[in-house]
Amino acid sequence: MLQRIRVAALVLALGAGSLALAPTAATAAVAPTISDVGISPNPPIVVFDNDVSVTFSFTTTNTDAASLKLNNDSVAIKSEPVTGGLKWTGSKSFGAGAAGKWTYTATAAGEGNPAKTGTFEVAKALTTQVADFGARPGLVDKGDTIRVSGRLVADGKGYDGQSVSITFRDRGSADYGEVTKVTTGRGGWFAARVEAKSTGYWRAAFAATAVARGSVSDSDRVNVRRGNLGSRIVGFDARPGRVDKGDKITLSGALRVEDRGSLRGQRVGIFFKADGSRRWEYVTSAVTGRHGFFRASAEAVTSGWWRAEYRGTRGVNGAVSRADRVRVDQPAPPPAEEKADTRLIKFNAYPEPVKRGKYLRFRGVLQVDDEGSWEGYSGKVALFFKPLGSRKWQFVKTTWAGDSGRLYTKAKAWKSGHWRFVFGGDEDTHGDDSARDYVRVKR
C-alpha cells in the first residue's frame, strides 16, 4: 500500500514537472514604419522681408516614439492619432540668413529605427531692377510707332523668361495704365513697339512673384506732335435725281474737320463721271461757308455720277464725298449743223526746269476747222497737271483764248510732272486736248 502511494506521488510529481517544462507559444514583434516627410510650403522656401515658418510632417506605425532633425539639430515634434498610426508634426522659422541647402532626418523608434532623409533649399527673394529703359524717338507725330526697351536683372544678373508690363501716363495724369506685355529674352533684355497717341511718360514694371521682388523702371517722356487733322464731306447730294438734258442740277454738302467741326472758306471741287466711264472730270467748284456748307450748280449733260473733292490745306488732310447719280433724259435733238473740229497746238510750258514755288508760263493756240482752213478760235480752255508717277490729271485753272486763238496763263510749280491744255468744246465745236509737256521742278 505504501509502495503504491509512493508510485502515485512520483507520477504526480513527474506530471507536474512535465507541465512546467512544456514550451509556451511566442508572439513575434512587428517592426515600425515611417512615411515620406511632407514640407509646407513646398520648397524652395523663399524668404522676403519676414521669416517663413515651415512645417514638417510624417506618419509612423507600430511605435509611439519618433524624432526629427534638421542639419543634425533636433526639432520638437508632436503626434496625433491617425488611421493605422501616429502623425508627427514639427515646425521651424527660416530667415534670410538661413539661405542655403538643408538636410532633414525623420526617425521612427523601434526595431531597425527606420528613417527618411532628404534635402530642401532656403533662398532669399531675388531683388530685381528694370535697367536701361528708354522710349525712342523722343519726338514723333501722333499715331507714329515708338520703340520701348530695357533690361530686367535679378541680383545683378539678367532675368530671362519673365513678364514685364509696358505702361504709359498721359501728361497731366497721375496714373499709369498698361499698354502691352513683353517677355524678357536672353540676358533679361526686352523690347516692344507701341503707338504714340499723346505726349506723356513711358515706363516698364515687373510684378513681384513667388521668388522675386517687383520693380519699376525710371520713366521716359515722349513728345507727340499733332498730325494733320482728318476731314470728310458729309451730306453730299445731287438734285434732282432725274432731269432733262440741259437742265440745272444743284450739288451741295458740308465739309467737316476733325476736332473743329467745320472749316470755312475752303474750295471744294465738283467732279463728274459719265455712266460707263472710269474717269472723273472736273466741272466746277464751291467755297465752304458757315458750318462748312457749300453749294454749286451745273448743267446736266448725260447720266452719271457726281461727287465733291477737297484737296486739303495746311494741317488738314483732303477728302472725297460719296458719289450720287443723276439720270439725264436725252430729248430728241432738233436738226442741227455738224460741229466743227478744233485743235490745240503749239503748247509749251516754260521755263524748264523751274524752281519749286516759282511761276511756270503756258502758251498755246486754239484753232477751229473752218471748211478745211484752220483759224484762231475764242473759247474757255482748262489747264491740267499730272504729277510724276500719278495716273490722275488735276484741274489747275481756266483761261480764255482770244479771237486769234492765242492762249497764255501762268501757275506756280510745286512738283515735277506733265502739263496740258484741255478745250471741252461748245455748242458749235468739238473739244480737244493739247500735247503734254513735262517740266522738272528742282528744289
Side-chain angles (χ1 to χ4, degrees):
M1 183 68 177
L2 179 62
Q3 184 67 29
R4 287 198 301 268
I5 293 173
R6 287 180 177 174
V7 172
L10 177 61
V11 170
L12 290 174
L14 289 173
S18 297
L19 291 175
L21 293 175
T24 59
T27 301
V30 180
T33 64
I34 185 169
S35 69
D36 291 334
V37 177
I39 302 177
S40 178
N42 291 329
I45 310 302
V46 181
V47 182
F48 284 81
D49 297 320
N50 300 319
D51 290 356
V52 178
S53 179
V54 180
T55 300
F56 302 86
S57 61
F58 57 93
T59 302
T60 63
T61 63
N62 303 321
T63 183
D64 57 1
S67 63
L68 174 66
K69 290 187 177 181
L70 299 178
N71 285 1
N72 295 321
D73 291 333
S74 295
V75 176
I77 57 176
K78 60 183 179 180
S79 65
E80 61 177 324
V82 294
T83 302
L86 296 175
K87 180 179 179 180
W88 302 85
T89 57
S91 63
K92 178 178 174 60
S93 292
F94 294 87
K101 188 173 184 179
W102 286 73
T103 301
Y104 64 83
T105 302
T107 305
E111 183 180 348
N113 292 323
K116 296 289 184 178
T117 62
T119 61
F120 63 94
E121 291 284 340
V122 175
K124 181 181 177 181
L126 296 174
T127 299
T128 65
Q129 178 187 8
V130 182
D132 301 320
F133 179 78
R136 298 290 183 274
L139 177 62
V140 294
D141 291 328
K142 182 179 180 180
D144 284 353
T145 297
I146 63 171
R147 184 177 187 269
V148 292
S149 61
R151 186 186 186 209
L152 178 65
V153 294
D155 290 345
K157 297 180 180 179
Y159 201 13
D160 304 354
Q162 303 302 308
S163 179
V164 175
S165 295
I166 305 301
T167 61
F168 174 74
R169 176 173 68 84
D170 201 0
R171 179 181 56 183
S173 173
D175 300 322
Y176 279 88
E178 183 179 275
V179 177
T180 188
K181 283 183 179 292
V182 292
T183 301
T184 59
R186 185 176 181 181
W189 292 100
F190 63 86
R193 292 195 174 276
V194 292
E195 181 183 357
K197 297 180 180 179
S198 60
T199 296
Y201 300 88
W202 295 86
R203 73 180 187 185
F206 171 66
T209 66
V211 298
R213 301 176 186 273
S215 57
V216 178
S217 73
D218 293 334
S219 60
D220 197 9
R221 173 169 168 155
V222 173
N223 294 311
V224 177
R225 295 176 296 218
R226 186 179 188 87
N228 284 353
L229 297 175
S231 68
R232 57 194 178 101
I233 297 173
V234 299
F236 179 74
D237 191 22
R239 291 188 178 183
R242 184 173 182 176
V243 295
D244 290 333
K245 181 180 179 181
D247 288 349
K248 292 291 184 181
I249 59 174
T250 300
L251 306 119
S252 60
L255 177 63
R256 297 282 185 262
V257 179
E258 176 188 6
D259 292 343
R260 292 189 187 178
S262 62
L263 199 58
R264 188 173 185 173
Q266 299 297 303
R267 185 165 296 278
V268 177
I270 304 298
F271 287 77
F272 174 75
K273 182 179 71 171
D275 286 348
S277 174
R278 295 183 178 180
R279 177 181 175 183
W280 287 95
E281 297 182 354
Y282 171 83
V283 178
T284 186
S285 65
V287 176
T288 59
R290 187 179 181 184
H291 304 306
F293 289 109
F294 62 86
R295 183 186 300 270
S297 63
E299 181 182 351
V301 177
T302 187
S303 297
W305 299 86
W306 295 84
R307 76 181 187 189
E309 296 186 14
Y310 173 55
R311 297 180 64 181
T313 188
R314 184 175 181 179
V316 180
N317 292 326
V320 178
S321 75
R322 68 174 184 87
D324 195 17
R325 187 176 185 274
V326 174
R327 175 177 171 177
V328 178
D329 295 326
Q330 304 285 342
E337 296 182 0
E338 185 178 350
K339 289 187 176 183
D341 291 330
T342 60
R343 66 180 185 180
L344 282 165
I345 62 173
K346 298 182 180 180
F347 176 69
N348 186 32
Y350 63 95
E352 305 178 44
V354 66
K355 288 187 176 180
R356 187 174 185 270
K358 297 296 184 180
Y359 278 103
L360 270 176
R361 290 168 171 76
F362 307 90
R363 295 186 184 276
V365 178
L366 175 64
Q367 293 183 331
V368 64
D369 183 3
D370 186 8
E371 297 182 356
S373 176
W374 291 101
E375 304 290 342
Y377 189 69
S378 174
K380 184 171 71 170
V381 177
L383 176 65
F384 280 82
F385 171 67
K386 184 173 73 171
L388 186 64
S390 173
R391 295 184 178 181
K392 182 178 179 180
W393 286 93
Q394 302 173 0
F395 170 81
V396 179
K397 63 187 300 187
T398 57
T399 187
W400 283 86
D403 291 338
S404 66
R406 295 186 181 277
L407 291 159
Y408 172 80
T409 189
K410 64 180 182 178
K412 287 186 177 181
W414 299 102
K415 296 179 180 180
S416 299
H418 294 86
W419 298 84
R420 73 178 182 187
F421 278 143
V422 175
F423 175 56
D426 54 28
E427 61 183 3
D428 298 319
T429 62
H430 297 293
D432 189 42
D433 297 349
S434 73
R436 64 183 67 182
D437 192 8
Y438 175 77
V439 176
R440 181 172 68 88
V441 174
K442 60 183 182 179
R443 296 183 180 274

